[in-house]
Amino acid sequence: SAVISQKPSRDICQRGTSLTIQCQVDSQVTMMFWYRQQPGQSLTLIATANQGSEATYESGFVIDKFPISRPNLTFSTLTVSNMSPEDSSIYLCSCRVSTDTQYFGPGTRLTVL
Amino acid sequence: AQKVTQAQTEISVVEKEDVTLDCVYETRDTTYYLFWYKQPPSGELVFLIRRNSFDEQNEISGRYSWNFQKSTSSFNFTITASQVVDSAVYFCALSGVTDSWGKLQFGAGTQVVVTP
C-alpha cells in the first residue's frame, strides 16, 4: 500500500487567485494522478503526473488552468489558477502501486468566494 | 470508452440489515481491474477491494462481500449486518489497459445511510 499526505487540507480563496496543492507519497511510485470531485459528484481525473515529463491532461482540463509539477517519484503539486467559484471542489491526488491498486490522499477541500 | 454505472443514488437501511450495492461496467478491454472505494463524510477515499478480470471468484472480508459476474458485467458489493459506521458514499471504479493503464473511471457513487 501507500500512504499519501496532502497540503493544505482545506482552504478558502478569493476569486482570481491561485492555490498550489502538495501531494507527498511515502514511497517511490511511477504514476501519480490528480482528481477533482465537485460537490455531490463523483471523481473526475484531471491529469496523470509523470516524473520527468509533462503531465497528461484529460479532456476539458488544460495546463494553463491546472499546472502540475512532478519533480521526483514521491512528490507532485497541482496549482488551480485564476480561481472562480466553479473551482470549489475536493482535489485528490492518488498513486498507483505495483499491485495496480490506486491509493488516495485525504483530499484538499477548496472553497472559492 | 469505459463506463461504470451505479444506478442506486441512495440506500437507507436500519442497522443490522444487509445492503447490496450494484455496479455495472462497460469496457472493450479483455484485461481490466475493478475496484470499490468508500468515502465517509470526512472525505478521504478508502480502498476496499481490487478484482482483476481473470478472477471471477467471489470474495468475503468480514462483513463485506463482492460478487463479480463477467457474463453480466457486474461487480456488486454487499454489506452484511450493516452498522452506523458503514454510512458513506461507495464508489465502483474500472481501470483498463486501452485507456491508459492506471486511469480510473468512477461510477456516480451510492450513498448508504445506516440508521440506528
Side-chain angles (χ1 to χ4, degrees), chain A residues 31 33 35 37 40-45 48 58 90 92 94 96 99-107 109, chain B residues 33 35 37 39-47 50 91 95 99-109:
Chain A
M31 299 184 80
F33 305 87
Y35 290 82
Q37 186 177 25
Q41 303 295 315
S42 185
L43 284 80
T44 301
L45 180 65
T48 303
E58 297 299 304
I90 300 175
L92 299 104
S94 72
R96 176 176 158 242
T99 57
D100 291 322
T101 297
Q102 272 194 42
Y103 293 94
F104 285 79
R109 290 180 182 268
Chain B
Y33 287 120
F35 302 83
Y37 289 89
Q39 188 175 44
S42 53
E44 79 271 23
L45 217 60
V46 178
F47 165 74
R50 175 191 68 124
F91 291 98
S95 173
D99 198 12
S100 176
W101 192 244
K103 188 171 103 174
L104 286 176
Q105 178 68 48
F106 282 87

Side-chain angles (χ1 to χ4, degrees), chain B residues 43-54:
Chain B
E44 79 271 23
L45 217 60
V46 178
F47 165 74
L48 296 178
I49 190 171
R50 175 191 68 124
R51 172 66 72 223
N52 76 50
S53 52
F54 298 110

Side-chain angles (χ1 to χ4, degrees), chain A residues 68-86:
Chain A
I68 287 170
S69 79
R70 179 85 197 270
N72 57 52
L73 291 174
T74 64
F75 186 78
S76 177
T77 67
L78 168 76
T79 299
V80 186
S81 304
N82 188 23
M83 289 184 283
S84 66
E86 292 72 37

Side-chain angles (χ1 to χ4, degrees), chain B residues 3-17:
Chain B
K3 186 178 178 182
V4 176
T5 301
Q6 294 180 256
Q8 303 149 308
T9 306
E10 180 171 326
I11 301 175
S12 294
V13 296
V14 177
E15 217 171 11
K16 296 192 178 131
E17 289 184 340

Side-chain angles (χ1 to χ4, degrees), chain B:
Chain B
Q2 300 185 134
K3 186 178 178 182
V4 176
T5 301
Q6 294 180 256
Q8 303 149 308
T9 306
E10 180 171 326
I11 301 175
S12 294
V13 296
V14 177
E15 217 171 11
K16 296 192 178 131
E17 289 184 340
D18 297 348
V19 56
T20 295
L21 310 180
D22 298 332
C23 173
V24 175
Y25 63 92
E26 295 174 29
T27 181
R28 281 180 242 163
D29 291 325
T30 54
T31 303
Y32 53 89
Y33 287 120
L34 293 161
F35 302 83
W36 276 96
Y37 289 89
K38 173 183 180 180
Q39 188 175 44
S42 53
E44 79 271 23
L45 217 60
V46 178
F47 165 74
L48 296 178
I49 190 171
R50 175 191 68 124
R51 172 66 72 223
N52 76 50
S53 52
F54 298 110
D55 182 3
E56 288 194 67
Q57 281 191 351
N58 292 330
E59 183 156 338
I60 298 174
S61 176
R63 296 185 296 107
Y64 295 168
S65 62
W66 291 270
N67 182 2
F68 176 32
Q69 293 199 336
K70 226 167 164 178
S71 59
T72 56
S73 297
S74 65
F75 186 43
N76 297 337
F77 172 34
T78 296
I79 303 172
T80 303
S82 60
Q83 301 175 1
V84 173
V85 292
D86 296 325
S87 296
V89 179
Y90 291 85
F91 291 98
C92 180
L94 168 69
S95 173
V97 97
T98 302
D99 198 12
S100 176
W101 192 244
K103 188 171 103 174
L104 286 176
Q105 178 68 48
F106 282 87
T110 298
Q111 172 85 57
V112 173
V113 179
V114 183
T115 53

